[in-house]
Amino acid sequence: MSERASNNVFNETPNTRIFSVTSLLTAHHFTYNPELQPYEEEYPFAQIFLTVEGRGTYRTDGKTYPITAGDMVCRPANKRSMISWETGKLHFLLVSFACTSEAMKAFEGAPIPLCGEDEEALFELIKICKRIFEPMEETSELRGMRLKEGVPIAALAYVCTSLERFLTMLYCRLHYPEMLLDETQKANTYAGKSSLVLETERYLHEHITDALTMADICSHLGISQTALSKKFHAETGCGVMEYFNRLKIERAKVLICQSTMNFTQISEHLGFSSVGYFGKSFKAKVGLTLTEFSKHAPKRRTMIIK
């Protein structure tokens, strides 16, 4: 082989497919209380629940865990478990699927707090499923959903691949937090947002550890507080500082689970004025005190894939 030819030989890094979703059974978005009666269930397929609003408990392997907004529960296949919800407004996502990958064990047990990108990946998956699937007819002996007439099988492959991507993202965040923390905290941006709102969100993500004020943000963007507040709320449904505080709390949840920092260190790292204010903000958003959340939070898990 000539020297010129040898220079064109590249190293190949083999890809390892950690998750393989072989089928999809259900994908629901409940924005109301479906009056679910709590009882122990066991299915031959896996389920993931994402609580968007509301509270409940998850019981598995003889242990009971609190569930609150932002928590994902993974119900393994062929294992009995029970989810019960408190009365009041309930809003959650549910996806049922078949996946025999050994790495699924990484999600068993305590609920896992999701970050912005994780949550939005699930929401996007649910939206696609709503467009391409329809429920089985009442006369059918089968439950679940099926592809709508005329929908190509490639659409199903797209959804299953999207679910595999979500599971892989979450798996990597649990095992490699130092490497992926910043990226997994970044929320996806929706088409249709103005450049001003996108720039505001980007700036807040990049300065999540700073104690920014509304005046600081507006000074950087070169816009009045009134104009920014009106535009941001119209496109996101929340205020600028509310959004910023939410980012900090979501980052705090990850740090509690994936770092050795104590509450005071996390408070200082995220730019809160005091650990007391940090605790109050956390309780208001999550519904649990810092101690309660830490007690039940999933800590860094043992590696499963060698």
Side-chain angles (χ1 to χ4, degrees):
M1 181 181 293
S2 67
E3 180 179 352
R4 179 179 179 83
S6 64
N7 290 336
N8 289 327
V9 178
F10 294 88
N11 176 62
E12 293 187 18
T13 304
N15 179 42
T16 300
R17 193 177 182 186
I18 304 299
F19 296 95
S20 178
V21 175
T22 57
S23 62
L24 196 65
L25 291 92
T26 60
H28 297 299
H29 184 184
F30 292 100
T31 56
Y32 61 92
N33 192 333
E35 299 182 357
L36 299 174
Q37 297 299 318
Y39 60 92
E40 285 197 334
E41 298 176 274
E42 178 181 340
Y43 299 106
F45 49 82
Q47 289 186 317
I48 52 178
F49 284 81
L50 170 62
T51 304
V52 181
E53 188 172 2
R55 300 179 187 176
T57 57
Y58 174 55
R59 182 175 179 81
T60 182
D61 292 332
K63 297 180 180 179
T64 301
Y65 304 96
I67 307 172
T68 189
D71 288 342
M72 186 202 81
V73 167
C74 179
R75 305 180 75 169
N78 303 310
K79 182 177 287 189
R80 298 184 69 80
S81 62
M82 181 174 71
I83 293 180
S84 58
W85 304 100
E86 295 181 8
T87 57
K89 189 172 182 180
L90 179 62
H91 180 185
F92 68 91
L93 307 182
L94 165 63
V95 181
S96 305
F97 58 99
C99 180
T100 58
S101 302
E102 186 72 10
M104 286 295 296
K105 291 182 179 179
F107 308 134
E108 295 182 14
I112 300 172
L114 297 192
C115 303
E117 187 176 5
D118 303 328
E119 288 185 326
E120 291 175 12
L122 272 185
F123 270 103
E124 183 63 24
L125 186 147
I126 292 289
K127 287 194 297 183
I128 296 174
C129 286
K130 187 175 181 179
R131 292 198 296 267
I132 69 174
F133 286 100
E134 62 184 3
M136 299 295 294
E137 297 177 359
E138 294 183 0
T139 56
S140 173
E141 296 180 355
L142 299 176
R143 300 171 59 187
M145 59 189 189
R146 63 185 177 189
L147 286 174
K148 294 179 179 178
E149 185 177 353
V151 174
I153 196 66
L156 174 59
Y158 177 86
V159 171
C160 290
T161 301
S162 298
L163 182 54
E164 291 173 357
R165 175 180 178 271
F166 164 77
L167 296 172
T168 304
M169 287 166 50
L170 193 57
Y171 183 90
C172 288
R173 179 162 69 79
L174 291 174
H175 291 305
Y176 316 112
E178 295 85 359
M179 182 176 67
L180 300 175
L181 180 61
D182 288 342
E183 290 303 314
T184 54
Q185 278 296 102
K186 294 178 181 178
N188 292 338
T189 54
Y190 295 108
K193 284 185 180 178
S194 65
S195 58
L196 173 62
V197 171
L198 292 178
E199 173 61 19
T200 303
E201 292 179 339
R202 184 193 65 77
Y203 184 70
L204 295 180
H205 277 284
E206 292 179 351
H207 293 79
I208 193 171
T209 59
D210 296 338
L212 295 177
T213 64
M214 189 67 175
D216 295 329
I217 299 168
C218 291
S219 175
H220 170 77
L221 297 172
I223 190 173
S224 70
Q225 295 187 32
T226 300
L228 178 59
S229 297
K230 183 177 180 180
K231 185 72 171 177
F232 194 90
H233 192 278
E235 296 187 24
T236 67
C238 68
V240 175
M241 299 310 294
E242 177 186 355
Y243 180 90
F244 193 39
N245 187 65
R246 188 173 67 194
L247 290 181
K248 289 178 179 287
I249 296 301
E250 290 302 315
R251 174 65 64 85
K253 290 165 69 176
V254 175
L255 291 175
I256 291 172
C257 295
Q258 304 298 334
S259 78
T260 59
M261 300 169 68
N262 60 37
F263 298 151
T264 299
Q265 291 171 326
I266 293 175
S267 174
E268 294 174 350
H269 175 71
L270 293 176
F272 285 95
S273 58
S274 69
V275 69
Y277 177 68
F278 169 46
K280 290 180 180 179
S281 299
F282 191 93
K283 175 68 180 296
K285 170 63 179 175
V286 180
L288 298 172
T289 65
L290 291 167
T291 301
E292 290 170 339
F293 179 83
S294 179
K295 180 180 178 181
H296 298 286
K299 302 304 179 182
R300 187 178 305 178
R301 315 238 170 158
T302 303
M303 288 294 294
I304 291 177
I305 299 301
K306 296 182 179 181

